[in-house]
Structure formats: C-alpha cells, structure tokens
Amino acid sequence: SGNRFTVYMSREGSDTQEQLQVDGRILEEYDLYVDFLTMNVTIQKLETPKGDELYKTECMYNNVYYLFMCKMKKAQFEKIIKKMVIS
C-alpha cells in the first residue's frame, strides 16, 4: 500500500499548548527550518511497536496545533515540511 500522510489539526483553546503522543521509540530527533513558519520544527524518526519507521513533526501556528506524520523516506518528508504553507 502507498504512503499515508497524516495531518492532525486542533483549535481547542488559544491558550492551550497541545501535544499528541504517538506510540513508538524515538530513533532520531533534529530541527528543520521552515520558511513559512520562520522557525525550526523538531522532526522525530520513530519506530512503532509493529517495527514500522515513520517521521513526525508538530507545531503551533495562529493558535492551531498541527501534527504531520508519515511513513516515507526522510528526504521526502523534509521536502514536504520545508515547503508547507498553512492558510
């Protein structure tokens, strides 16, 4: 089956800092600069309990929490995240 890119958004409360926990072990963690956000986001490479490897990042923008996650190659994931525009 193809790669599934998951985007989760939540606007619970403008004061609330939300963070979703994803089951898995962190294999790698590093920062990546996103032009649109004018800031770094932390990228995590995770290994799920089933042994799958996936990439995940999250950020707050205009009081909305965003989580991006996908099972794909590192370079592909970084390209998508670097070029993202939230409107």
Side-chain angles (χ1 to χ4, degrees):
S1 68
N3 296 332
R4 184 170 72 187
F5 195 93
T6 302
V7 178
Y8 171 82
M9 299 164 40
S10 176
R11 188 183 204 127
E12 291 299 317
S14 59
D15 304 352
T16 308
Q17 182 79 19
E18 183 173 353
Q19 198 170 24
L20 283 182
Q21 295 300 317
V22 177
D23 284 342
R25 181 171 64 97
I26 298 171
L27 301 176
E28 183 181 2
E29 188 173 85
Y30 59 96
D31 288 338
L32 182 72
Y33 187 78
V34 178
D35 289 333
F36 176 76
L37 300 174
T38 63
M39 63 182 237
N40 285 323
V41 296
T42 299
I43 306 285
Q44 291 182 331
K45 179 181 180 181
L46 303 170
E47 181 181 52
T48 68
K50 293 182 179 181
D52 293 325
E53 290 184 356
L54 53 90
Y55 286 91
K56 171 193 147 204
T57 191
E58 54 200 341
C59 65
M60 289 290 291
Y61 180 74
N62 282 347
N63 295 323
V64 178
Y65 169 80
Y66 294 88
L67 177 131
F68 305 92
M69 187 168 50
C70 190
K71 181 182 165 187
M72 65 173 46
K73 294 191 182 300
K74 179 179 181 176
Q76 289 175 302
F77 187 77
E78 286 183 0
K79 185 175 181 180
I80 291 168
I81 298 304
K82 280 174 141 175
K83 295 184 179 284
M84 78 171 157
V85 174
I86 300 170
S87 60

